[in-house]
Amino acid sequence: MANLVKTEDETMLADAARGFLDKSAPVKAFRDLRDAGQTHDAKMWKEMADMGWAGVLVPESAGGSDMGHAAAGVLAHEMGKTLVVSPFLSTAVIAASALRNVSDARAEAALASIASGDVTYALAVDETAKFNPEGTSMVATREGNGFRLSGKKTFVVDGGLADRLLVLAKTDDGLTLFDIPANRDGITRNAQNMIDARDSARIDFENVEATGDDVLGQVDSAMSILKPALEAGQAALAAEMAGLSAGAFGMTIAYLKERKQFGTVIGNFQALQHRAAHLWCEIEVTASAILNAGRMLDDDPDNATMAVSLAKARATSTAQLAVQEGVQMHGGIGMTDAYDIGFYMKRARVGAEWLGDYGYHAGQVAKHRGF
Amino acid sequence: MQSNQELEGFRAELRDWLEANCPAEMRGGEPSEASVCWGGKNFQFESDAQRVWMERAAAKGYTVPTWPVEYGGAGLTRTQEKIFKEEMDRIEARNPLQSFGIWMLGPALLHFGSHEQKLHYLPPIARGEIRWCQGYSEPGAGSDLASVQTRGEDKGDHWLVNGQKIWTSYADKADWIFALVRTDREAPKHKGISFLLIDMEDAGVETRPIKLISGASVFCETFFTDVKVPKHQIVGEENRGWDVAKYLLTHEREMISGGGQGLSGGRALGAVLNESMEDGREMDTTLRAAAMRCEVDALSIGLTLERYKDQAEAGSGAGDASAMLKYMGTELNKQRHELLMSAGGSDALEWDGPLGNRPADWLRTKANSIEGGTSEVMLSIVSRRVLGLGA
């Protein structure tokens, strides 16, 4: 079993990230972005790329910083704390992990374009309201040396603005993953008006052309590439949600120490103390599952499925508890849009659904544990 | 740091040793209160295999793998300990010996005891020869433990101890007791307590079992009437026993939170539930969902126990966080046994029925969130010391 203490490098990375984000991306920055109707901050993404964040999983040979999955989790955690909006998960974690599992010159070039911050990606997998990649019904029909893609995708996170799409579709004897530009003829993107005020799109594909070169890896065997990409994304999303929990919890504790009722700060009331203490316990337990998932992806990626699902399941339940308790302990002010805690609640709900909900991942854990 | 090659060598050797020395009867099966090997002068082994397993493990120091060799352990490093645990789990080996001496007194002695005390008291614990019990709670000192009234009068070369302890688990089967005794009645309550080691065979020590809701009599009340305790049987300094008591409590809490109840590496609750339905039923969706949630939480709490051990190795102990582990682990364990009862249906309603002692084990777990500090006390510790809430 891997060592579950943060390394010195990881602690330094977290501190550096926090320093940057407190200055460039406090919750206020998210609020401003939302109020302006924006879902992407191109300038900040470029800065993140310059710091090596976009290339966190890109090999050094392609210009990446290649820090690994635990480090990606550290960055996602810090971003989660202040609800930072960026294509980090879609591009730097999911797309980079997929491309890394393909060894050809085109993938190498694509990885370089991710690391430099020039190209963003979105993963187009979901077709129904629940995550179920194996149930994909979108079809890629053979035509000459290439394919024609027709069908609908939904909840394509970062799909409204991404430069490229990773699209999962059914081929003759299995599923195939395509890497195509988002502006190709026949693609219609409809931005969704999401509760977390971030980029997500429903995307229609009508007879969209894909060449053999657009196929990532082998035809009919998408999962050998998609599975590690999904697991990387799930682990980093879990880390983001753990950061979100910590952010909501920090706000709540501060409020308990400041708000006065009945002539005293409300943190003196045992009913609230015990709610807060219970929440801290849950956060602490979840932190172990998150760190373990990062370590497994770095050390033993072929056997990381259960660790990743454990992390995503725990992160989901903990984040939901953190935001519900956060709003409850804030009382009336927590219901106002002017106060930040509600942002955490809405992001937690989106994170809970993305890449598999609690039931999906708890089911994976049960399967691996033999029931 | 050992090289990977050395560690793999250790694993291979250990695997061979386990294969050759762990009897088949000591592998597999859901551990229950009844199958625990406690050791001690009067212990009745349930089988030869149980006795042989304890003795062989003790000879290698594997009853207390991380204790130093000179005190009866195997002196394993943290990494070796992980391998030890993995290999034990791999063959579902039962714990060869469990006791309050191993879980509680041992760590306290290793930390606060003199070299002579360690040499004198630890090896018999490791060999399963002396069984210890805990003399903490009193009728008037439960959650408010520091208000203990059992008193020790200074008589020069010994203390004269008088008073009553309660909830002294297995005191009727124990050989020695470690007890909190008030040796200064004028001082503030935390500052007048000493940590004394007392032979249960001494004149004036009397113990009576208390019948519990499980039908068992695990808990006892223990009376001290003019018991002479030699001065050298104190751990730590006079009137500083609360420091020892608290340190021991953090170990007690970690022990109760894990409790060998399959929190990490052990068998999945869902698998146990499935097996227990001998009449071909399957888990309904409600039970299955609850079992899945239990499994997710159990694995994560298990990882947290490991994480704190890793941190301790790196120099920062669990400290107040042991309250968190205790709270989370015991609440989960209660939940686990509720599900075991539910899966068993009416088969689980009989004492010693088709599912054995399941109802007794279920009722036993209700004490988990009381013993060693209640869940509410744990939450108060977290909110005060970790979160800085309240006065």
Side-chain angles (χ1 to χ4, degrees), chain A residues 1-2 4-5 249 257 268 270 273-274 277-278 280-282 284-285 288 292 310 314 358 369 371, chain B residues 82 86 266-268 270 288 293 295-297 300 303-304 307-308 310 324 327-328 376 379-380 387 390:
Chain A
M1 184 187 278
L4 294 177
V5 180
F249 181 69
K257 290 177 178 176
N268 284 335
Q270 196 176 54
Q273 288 175 353
H274 284 193
H278 172 77
W280 181 82
C281 293
E282 295 283 352
E284 200 56 18
V285 166
S288 315
N292 184 54
L310 191 64
R314 276 292 312 183
Y358 184 90
R369 294 284 287 159
F371 69 99
Chain B
K82 286 187 189 185
E86 283 165 10
R267 300 179 65 226
R288 187 173 158 75
R293 188 169 284 274
E295 193 63 27
V296 165
D297 292 346
S300 302
L303 285 170
T304 307
R307 179 160 70 91
Y308 279 113
D310 287 341
M324 175 272 291
Y327 166 64
M328 296 293 273
E376 290 68 31
L379 289 173
S380 290
L387 307 181

Side-chain angles (χ1 to χ4, degrees), chain B residues 173-359:
Chain B
K173 298 183 169 63
D175 306 307
W176 280 66
I177 184 168
F178 50 90
L180 300 184
V181 174
R182 188 158 300 285
T183 43
D184 183 347
R185 307 180 75 177
E186 309 304 319
K189 64 179 179 180
H190 294 93
K191 305 208 163 141
I193 297 169
S194 295
F195 190 103
L196 303 185
L197 307 177
I198 304 172
D199 188 339
M200 297 291 282
E201 287 176 2
D202 279 352
V205 181
E206 194 191 342
T207 189
R208 282 204 293 261
I210 300 170
K211 188 170 178 184
L212 301 177
I213 56 174
S214 63
S217 300
V218 173
F219 302 156
C220 299
E221 47 189 350
T222 301
F223 301 88
F224 300 94
T225 310
D226 289 337
V227 179
K228 291 179 182 168
V229 180
K231 281 282 175 78
H232 62 82
Q233 288 174 204
I234 185 173
V235 179
E237 291 172 40
E238 187 174 351
N239 296 326
R240 297 292 297 275
W242 187 246
D243 295 342
V244 184
K246 275 196 305 185
Y247 182 84
L248 184 143
L249 274 172
T250 64
H251 285 273
E252 179 178 6
R253 285 168 188 160
E254 281 175 51
M255 176 273 287
I256 298 169
S257 69
Q261 302 286 346
L263 281 185
S264 57
R267 300 179 65 226
L269 176 65
V272 177
L273 293 181
N274 267 335
E275 269 168 37
S276 76
M277 300 190 200
E278 290 170 338
D279 47 9
R281 286 172 297 128
E282 285 183 1
M283 281 192 272
D284 64 31
T285 50
T286 312
L287 184 57
R288 187 173 158 75
M292 284 180 359
R293 188 169 284 274
C294 242
E295 193 63 27
V296 165
D297 292 346
L299 290 169
S300 302
I301 293 170
L303 285 170
T304 307
L305 282 162
E306 297 300 319
R307 179 160 70 91
Y308 279 113
K309 284 190 205 164
D310 287 341
Q311 282 179 8
E313 182 82 354
S316 60
D320 297 327
S322 67
M324 175 272 291
L325 290 170
K326 200 270 177 182
Y327 166 64
M328 296 293 273
T330 57
E331 293 295 335
L332 177 71
N333 199 38
K334 288 199 298 182
Q335 179 64 16
R336 233 177 113 77
H337 282 265
E338 286 294 332
L339 298 182
L340 282 162
M341 288 299 284
S342 177
S346 61
D347 285 347
L349 301 180
E350 294 172 70
W351 303 112
D352 290 320
L355 295 173
N357 233 356
R358 189 173 289 190

